[in-house]
Amino acid sequence: MIAQLTGTIASVSESYAVVDVQGVGYAVHAGAHTLANLKVGSQAVLAISTIVREDSITLHGFNTAEERDLFELLQNAQKIGPRIARDAVEVLRPDAIRRAIATGDTATLTRIPGVGQKSAERIVLDLADKIGPVDLGGVPKQPGGRPGGWRTQVSQGLQALGWSAKEAETAVEKLDAEGADGTDVPSLLKQAIRLLGKR
C-alpha cells in the first residue's frame, strides 16, 4: 500500500492532483484544503490512503499523516465512506473531530457534509473506543467526572438508534441512580444500550 508520496506537482484540478514521482504520474484525489497548498512545479509530500476495490485503486492525499489516519478511522463507522470521511477532515480539524467523538458532541459532527443526527450518533457509538487518548481540556465536567449535558446527549443518542423518548428517559434515570461508571458520553451511551437491550 502507498502511504506517502514525495514528488513534483504536475497538475492540479478541482478534485485531484497529479504527482510526478521519478517520471511516474500518480493521480491523487484530495479536498479543496489540501489542493490549495499544491502548486504546479513545486515539490510536495503527501500522506496517502490507498483504497483498493475490484475495479479500481484510488489514492487519497492529505497534508498530514494525522488527517490520513482520521480519514481511515472514520470509515470504520457504519455508512461512512471515503467521500464523507474526506469532507470531515476538510471541514473540521482532526483534534476537533476526535474531541467531538470522545464527548458525544453530535452537534459538531453534523457540521460534516452528509452527516445528520443519526449518522453522528452512529459515529460516536462505533468509534468512541477506537480514537485513543483525547485532550478534553475546556470540556466542562459535572460532579463524578461526567461531561455537562450528558443526560440529554445519551437520551438523544438512544432515540436516534430507535428507542422511544420514554425508554431513553428510563435508561438515563437508571444510569443516574446507579452512579454508572464512565466519564464520557459514548461510555454512558453504551451502558444505556446494555440496560435496554440492543435492537
Side-chain angles (χ1 to χ4, degrees):
M1 292 292 182
I2 297 173
Q4 178 177 296
L5 285 178
T6 301
T8 303
I9 304 302
S11 65
V12 179
S13 71
E14 290 185 0
S15 60
Y16 71 93
V18 175
V19 183
D20 185 329
V21 181
Q22 299 181 348
V24 179
Y26 293 87
V28 179
H29 294 263
H33 176 67
T34 300
L35 292 171
N37 293 326
L38 305 179
K39 307 299 179 187
V40 174
S42 66
Q43 289 288 308
V45 178
L46 290 173
I48 301 293
S49 177
T50 305
I51 296 180
V52 179
R53 291 181 174 156
E54 288 185 9
D55 58 348
S56 66
I57 298 176
T58 306
L59 306 181
H60 291 271
F62 303 90
N63 291 320
T64 67
E66 183 183 18
E67 291 179 350
R68 176 199 63 208
D69 293 347
L70 186 56
F71 166 79
E72 294 176 347
L73 175 67
L74 286 168
Q75 292 176 72
N76 290 314
Q78 287 185 25
K79 299 183 180 180
I80 301 299
R83 181 61 182 272
I84 291 179
R86 192 183 72 192
D87 287 347
V89 175
E90 286 286 307
V91 172
L92 299 169
R93 291 174 54 86
D95 58 345
I97 296 174
R98 291 179 183 278
R99 190 178 300 116
I101 293 172
T103 60
D105 181 5
T106 56
T108 292
L109 294 174
T110 56
R111 290 167 52 192
I112 300 168
V115 174
Q117 181 66 28
K118 191 167 184 177
S119 294
E121 296 289 356
R122 197 72 243 183
I123 290 172
V124 170
L125 191 61
D126 290 347
L127 303 182
D129 58 351
K130 296 182 175 70
I131 58 172
V134 176
D135 179 9
L136 298 179
V139 177
K141 297 281 186 178
Q142 291 185 337
R146 296 175 184 172
W150 72 269
R151 293 175 183 81
T152 299
Q153 292 180 54
V154 169
S155 178
Q156 290 176 344
L158 291 170
Q159 291 176 61
L161 293 171
W163 279 280
S164 69
K166 185 173 180 58
E167 289 172 324
E169 182 182 352
T170 299
V172 169
E173 287 176 354
K174 284 184 179 179
L175 284 178
D176 209 8
E178 295 175 2
D181 296 330
T183 59
D184 56 66
V185 171
S187 295
L188 293 166
L189 180 57
K190 287 184 178 182
Q191 291 180 66
I193 290 172
R194 282 196 293 270
L195 286 173
L196 292 172
K198 286 187 178 181
R199 283 192 173 174

